[in-house]
Amino acid sequence: MDRICNLVRNGTSHAVFVMAGPGIGKSAVTDAVTERLAGHLNVVRIHASSALSGVPFGVLTPYTGELTAEESVSPVAVLRSMWSYFEKLKAGNGSAVLLAVDDAHHLDEASAGVLAELISAGWATVLAAARPRPGLPQPLEQLWYDGLAERVDLRPLNREQIEEVLAHVLDGTVPAATVDAMWSASSGNPRILDALLHDSAEAGVLAKRNGIWILLGDLPADGPRLAAVVAKDHLRRGPEEQEALKLIALAGPVGRKVIEDISGAAVVRSLLDQQMIVETPGVPAELYLWNALFAGAIRNTVSVSRSLQLLEKVKAHQDPGLLQGEGRLRSVEWALECGLRVGDDELLAAAKVALLAYRNHSARSIAAKIRNPALIPLAQAVQARALYNEGSYQEAAALLDECWLPLAGDPQGPAALVLRVSAHQANGRLLADVAEDVERAIAQFGQDGSWQAELLHVLQLGAEANVQALGEEVDRIRKRGAAGSGGEPLRALAEALLAHALAAAGRPVQGLDAAMMAASELPPLEGSLFFFPEFVLGRLVSNYLAMGEWESAERELNGYAAGHGASAAIFDGSLNVLRGYSLLRQGRMERAYQVLLPAVEALRLNDPLQLYRFGTALGYYVAARLGDAEQARRLEQDHKDAFAGGPAHDLLAEAYVAAGAEYTARDGKGLAALQTLMTTPEAAARAGNLLEVLAMCWDLGDPSVIPMVQTVARGVEGRWAEALLTLATAWENADGDTLMATAASLEEAAFVNLAREAYARASTVLEQAGERRRSRQAVAQREKCDHELGERFREGRFIAAAPAVHLTRREQDIVELAVQGLTDREIAQRLMVSVRTVEGHLYRTYVKLGVRSRDELETALPK
């Protein structure tokens, strides 16, 4: 906006064209510019519209009222009348004229020609807002080509800009999931974003929990702010366009030919030009509205009787056999909204489509209408999975109790049984209890329960992390091949559970092979009632982390997020626990904290992979380590209140809670609890987990575990165990040169947190040997590691010297620009952040450096 104001005020251009798609904010920008310049210029407004686009000089009528009927169609007479009007304005205060034109793409050619003459003659400066499609009328467009006008293109907000807006508007932490949801739902449109923020907050969907803004449900399409946006858009359109938009909103995606047959090809082309609708490639081409929530808001404006009339129109031109996917689902939803009867087969097909798209409410409501006894069990299973997605585990379990046995012979039978087990476990029931229920039911009805028994046996072995028994079971399943009972679901589960057990046992390289085998079973399971892809992904990532392959783990998580956008709201908390765990293992504690806190809040609402207890343990550990006592206390209590998670996580969860307690109290009790855990049979059977517990003890200042670290690490696969063994060996040798070389190699291998410890140990050894210069070099290298890890401070007992003042990367960027003499606003523009963000970072920097103003910054900066 500042740029546009400068262009208009400085007279460097007699015309500025602000171009943007619908709702991007061009009108708001031009209004803000005219408001700011109203005290310096005489502002004259022109509002073009589609209704006047066919009337020559129609928009100029308010300024040509003194002309006769014959003169009112003469370009020369209209131009003179405009000049006379401007001269009267100038005579009043001597200020120049600013002609503000809204929706200039609707200007008729005659009016556009007059405005072009005004601009060329310098009688007024024109500020025009228009859409790129269909664009400005030719006379105005020519001025830009001739260099007589400036063009400013406004783009939809990108994700970073959405994040900045939310950070500015909302007081608290806005996690990535909330940003992504707002960005996706708004399509980067400022008007839609503003409406969503107000409507979702007023509806209680966007809520602040423990300082974190999370979404408690689907964003509303029926809020008053969004309705007002839709109403305003409709008022600017002719009846033909309004009708077409309603048809597409109600039926979309719908065949282009269907809408052209009803509304006309010209209307469709116009809406495409205005970017109000989008055309999908393919045959037949389909149309849908540019924004799903906008479409929902339009549907809410249509009465049931009118909707039924429009439905009959569409049916008359639509071939039902061509409907697929989303179009088929929407067709069923629309019919139900109008009170029409839909066949059970069609209802079940639509419910499955809704479930795959994670439109849980729609899946539940459609499946609940099925009355055919033969289809009811599968319909109940669909409802149960939708309830599970929403975190309603008790209701899901109740439905699955009814339908799992009738589905025994259905291809979805194994998935329904595993989902039933998961739902009951989410409610706190033990696997053994659920297995007993299954056995009793099978015996009661006299069914062959061989595959059910095998599946439950595999799940029990996985819960126990029994590597040997699981390995033997998986070997039998592999040898049996595709002809065996249970099919792909059993094979995928068995391989994934073996992968996790192998990682815990310190054999993650072998575990990775098993996880890959599990992943190879996934294609036939697409559309399953159970979340096999996410189940396997968790095990795959766990093995990468156990190996110390941080980048590979992140690649898998990012790859899933990129390809499974619909499930993001359901599994985001679970995936972010894995991300936070990865960052924690790398020593990036502050970043881990930023990821884990929102993840725990998300899992509090919905915990499909049952990671809440593990996530609270990690969050408590990181909060305690970073000295956030209040959050640590809360997370510790959350962990105590949580249902037990999967037994495979129990050892590590207990270990991180014990370590967190030691960081909090520093009384030796947490360390003693860790040492007790190390001696349990569970720890002895899980060398990978044991090594992680030993590393926690070492990090807490217990050097007595170093020999045990060396012993256990030699039997654990992967780069992380190898790096820990290298550090332990160099630590014991206590040679400065060796430690420095070890630290450098660890840093190069991306084990920066281990390198930091090696540099710290080297600085102590070198200082004791009288090599003070090299000791200081080691301290500098250790501080470099701190900087790379992004830590505010380090609380380790092995640090040889107090760390220098540490500024985050963002603080460094802002301070550097401040030292150069830039103002807060200039810094904000340069870094594309808010002024408030700059002020906050500078304040925290002053506190860290012990200064009171930016004048003292340069001398106080660490050298």
Side-chain angles (χ1 to χ4, degrees):
M1 189 178 77
D2 290 338
R3 180 192 170 199
I4 298 172
C5 284
N6 291 335
L7 288 171
V8 173
R9 182 189 293 142
N10 298 339
T12 54
S13 177
H14 287 298
V16 179
F17 302 146
V18 180
M19 311 296 291
I24 299 301
K26 58 186 178 298
S27 296
V29 168
T30 54
D31 287 346
V33 170
T34 54
E35 183 179 349
R36 182 181 294 185
L37 300 179
H40 307 281
L41 300 170
N42 289 302
V43 178
V44 176
R45 297 181 182 276
I46 293 177
H47 296 279
S49 67
S50 57
L52 291 174
S53 60
V55 181
F57 308 115
V59 297
L60 302 181
T61 301
Y63 312 108
T64 59
E66 297 180 359
L67 296 180
T68 65
E70 184 177 345
E71 290 173 330
S72 65
V73 294
S74 166
V76 175
V78 171
L79 190 60
R80 285 175 178 169
S81 179
M82 294 290 292
W83 177 82
S84 176
Y85 183 85
F86 293 161
E87 287 300 303
K88 290 177 182 177
L89 286 177
K90 293 178 184 179
N93 55 19
S95 299
V97 174
L98 173 62
L99 187 61
V101 186
D102 197 17
D103 285 344
H105 50 280
H106 286 314
L107 284 172
D108 61 279
E109 288 288 323
S111 296
V114 167
L115 294 185
E117 291 292 339
L118 289 173
I119 294 167
S120 300
W123 292 350
T125 298
V126 172
L127 174 62
R131 294 179 181 176
R133 296 172 63 185
L136 291 163
Q138 195 277 331
L140 296 180
E141 188 81 4
Q142 189 62 46
L143 292 176
W144 180 62
Y145 286 128
D146 294 340
L148 298 177
E150 292 282 347
R151 173 172 170 153
V152 178
D153 288 279
L154 303 181
R155 308 291 183 190
L157 300 176
N158 59 32
R159 188 194 180 282
E160 289 72 22
Q161 290 168 326
I162 294 280
E163 186 174 20
E164 184 70 23
V165 169
L166 296 181
H168 182 76
V169 172
L170 302 176
D171 178 26
T173 299
V174 185
T178 302
V179 176
D180 289 337
M182 286 292 181
W183 181 40
S184 174
S186 69
S187 303
N189 186 296
R191 277 198 308 169
I192 302 293
L193 177 63
D194 179 68
L196 282 180
L197 281 173
H198 284 87
D199 288 344
S200 57
E202 289 174 8
V205 173
L206 179 63
K208 190 177 182 182
R209 297 289 177 87
N210 295 310
I212 296 167
W213 288 94
I214 58 174
L215 294 172
L216 304 182
D218 295 332
L219 290 166
D222 57 353
R225 293 293 186 104
L226 188 58
V229 170
V230 171
K232 183 178 180 181
D233 181 85
H234 265 40
L235 288 173
R236 305 167 82 169
R237 301 186 181 282
E240 297 85 0
E241 287 190 353
Q242 290 187 30
E243 185 89 340
L245 285 173
K246 288 176 183 177
L247 283 169
I248 298 169
L250 287 163
V254 58
R256 176 171 178 168
K257 187 175 185 306
V258 173
I259 304 302
E260 287 182 336
D261 288 347
I262 299 172
S263 300
V267 172
V268 171
R269 282 196 303 271
S270 174
L271 291 174
L272 284 169
D273 284 342
Q274 297 173 54
Q275 300 175 315
M276 289 302 300
I277 59 175
V278 179
E279 182 177 15
T280 61
V283 179
E286 292 185 319
L287 302 175
Y288 60 94
L289 253 70
W290 67 279
N291 180 275
L293 279 176
F294 200 89
I298 289 179
R299 289 197 291 270
N300 290 330
T301 67
V302 184
S303 66
V304 174
S305 58
R306 181 60 180 145
S307 182
L308 183 58
Q309 291 175 341
L310 295 174
L311 176 58
E312 295 302 323
K313 277 189 179 183
V314 169
K315 277 187 173 181
H317 296 85
Q318 190 175 60
D319 181 358
L322 296 178
L323 291 173
Q324 298 292 330
E326 183 71 18
R328 189 177 190 181
L329 170 59
R330 185 59 210 141
S331 174
V332 169
E333 289 177 329
W334 192 6
L336 294 175
E337 289 164 6
C338 292
L340 301 180
R341 180 173 175 77
V342 180
D344 283 352
D345 289 334
E346 191 66 17
L347 287 172
L348 184 58
K352 289 178 179 178
V353 172
L355 188 63
L356 287 175
Y358 288 87
R359 290 174 52 180
N360 301 307
H361 176 75
S362 186
R364 287 193 290 109
S365 59
I366 292 174
K369 297 181 183 301
I370 293 173
R371 294 292 175 263
N372 185 340
L375 300 180
I376 284 178
L378 190 52
Q380 288 178 316
V382 168
Q383 293 176 71
R385 173 59 198 274
L387 286 164
Y388 192 95
N389 289 344
E390 295 172 335
S392 300
Y393 302 122
Q394 194 166 353
E395 295 175 66
L399 276 174
L400 288 162
D401 287 345
E402 295 181 38
C403 71
W404 74 270
L405 195 56
L407 289 173
D410 190 276
Q412 290 284 6
L417 179 56
V418 182
L419 187 64
R420 179 175 183 250
V421 170
S422 295
H424 277 294
Q425 285 186 311
N427 289 321
R429 289 193 69 192
L430 297 176
L431 176 59
D433 294 338
V434 182
E436 286 181 11
D437 288 347
V438 172
E439 291 172 5
R440 280 195 299 268
I442 289 174
Q444 180 181 350
F445 288 93
Q447 291 192 2
D448 174 19
S450 56
W451 71 259
Q452 289 96 332
E454 187 174 21
L455 190 150
L456 289 168
H457 180 57
V458 166
L459 288 174
Q460 187 62 51
L461 294 177
E464 297 166 357
N466 189 329
V467 175
Q468 182 175 347
L470 260 177
E472 293 170 357
E473 189 69 27
V474 167
D475 283 341
R476 282 195 294 271
I477 293 171
R478 287 174 179 172
K479 289 174 183 176
R480 196 168 59 207
S485 63
E488 292 91 354
L490 177 62
R491 294 197 295 275
L493 281 173
E495 296 282 5
L497 291 169
L498 176 60
H500 195 80
L502 286 166
R507 293 153 60 186
V509 176
Q510 298 173 57
L512 185 62
D513 291 338
M516 292 296 186
M517 288 290 291
S520 70
E521 301 288 351
L522 293 178
L525 297 174
E526 186 177 354
S528 172
L529 286 171
F530 187 71
F531 37 91
F532 289 104
E534 294 77 18
F535 188 86
V536 171
L537 175 68
R539 276 65 188 173
L540 183 64
V541 170
S542 294
N543 276 277
Y544 275 130
L545 295 181
M547 293 166 64
E549 301 290 348
W550 322 124
E551 291 184 1
S552 297
E554 186 66 20
R555 184 185 66 244
E556 293 294 337
L557 290 170
N558 289 340
Y560 173 87
H564 297 77
S567 61
I570 308 300
F571 292 98
D572 182 76
S574 303
L575 300 186
N576 275 326
V577 163
L578 295 174
R579 279 197 177 91
Y581 183 37
S582 173
L583 291 162
L584 184 159
R585 294 285 301 273
Q586 296 173 59
R588 303 179 187 277
M589 296 299 165
E590 287 197 4
R591 183 69 186 115
Y593 198 32
Q594 294 167 4
V595 173
L596 285 169
L597 282 183
V600 167
E601 293 306 317
L603 291 180
R604 199 187 301 279
L605 299 171
N606 190 355
D607 185 19
L609 296 180
Q610 296 169 34
L611 289 173
Y612 176 68
R613 189 166 184 266
F614 186 57
T616 54
L618 297 180
Y620 169 52
Y621 170 80
V622 179
R625 182 161 173 165
L626 292 176
D628 192 339
E630 182 178 351
Q631 287 282 25
R633 283 192 297 271
R634 182 181 65 78
L635 288 163
E636 182 185 25
Q637 189 59 49
D638 286 343
H639 180 78
K640 290 177 180 177
D641 294 341
F643 286 124
H649 292 303
D650 277 357
L651 176 66
L652 286 181
E654 289 179 40
Y656 277 109
V657 168
E662 183 62 29
Y663 275 112
T664 300
R666 294 291 188 183
D667 57 3
K669 293 180 181 179
L671 190 56
L674 283 173
Q675 291 164 342
T676 300
L677 273 178
M678 287 159 37
T679 63
T680 60
E682 186 181 16
R686 302 179 185 177
N689 291 167
L690 175 58
L691 187 59
E692 199 169 336
V693 175
L694 290 167
M696 292 182 216
C697 291
W698 189 7
D699 203 43
L700 279 163
D702 180 10
S704 69
V705 301
I706 295 177
M708 195 173 178
V709 167
Q710 292 173 291
T711 301
V712 175
R714 289 190 182 97
V716 174
E717 298 174 344
R719 293 173 63 245
W720 178 71
E722 182 182 345
L724 202 60
L725 175 60
T726 301
L727 174 62
T729 303
W731 193 287
E732 286 279 87
N733 291 338
D735 178 77
D737 292 334
T738 302
L739 282 163
M740 289 294 286
T742 297
S745 66
L746 290 171
E747 190 176 2
E748 185 177 356
F751 295 104
V752 181
N753 57 330
L754 300 183
R756 174 179 59 188
E757 301 298 348
Y759 282 127
R761 174 69 166 164
S763 69
T764 301
V765 171
L766 291 168
E767 180 73 24
Q768 291 171 349
E771 298 187 51
R772 293 186 175 179
R773 181 183 64 81
R774 296 193 62 208
S775 175
R776 287 195 296 272
Q777 289 177 344
V779 171
Q781 290 297 110
R782 193 266 302 164
E783 290 178 353
K784 176 174 169 286
C785 290
D786 279 339
H787 176 74
E788 184 174 344
L789 294 171
E791 293 234 28
R792 290 175 295 182
F793 54 85
R794 168 72 174 151
E795 285 195 16
R797 297 188 183 179
F798 304 144
I799 300 304
V805 172
H806 172 67
L807 303 181
T808 65
R809 286 190 177 89
R810 177 63 82 189
E811 287 170 347
Q812 287 181 335
D813 293 340
I814 289 174
V815 167
E816 287 174 5
L817 294 174
V819 169
Q820 294 173 24
L822 275 68
T823 66
D824 291 353
R825 182 169 296 280
E826 289 169 338
I827 295 172
Q829 291 174 348
R830 179 79 63 87
L831 298 179
M832 290 185 291
V833 299
S834 69
V835 175
R836 192 173 71 173
T837 298
V838 173
E839 292 170 345
H841 279 302
L842 280 175
Y843 174 77
R844 286 188 289 274
T845 303
Y846 294 163
V847 173
K848 288 182 180 182
L849 298 176
V851 300
R852 291 171 294 180
S853 68
R854 65 173 61 205
D855 295 335
E856 303 174 21
L857 273 178
E858 187 169 8
T859 56
L861 287 174
K863 305 300 182 185

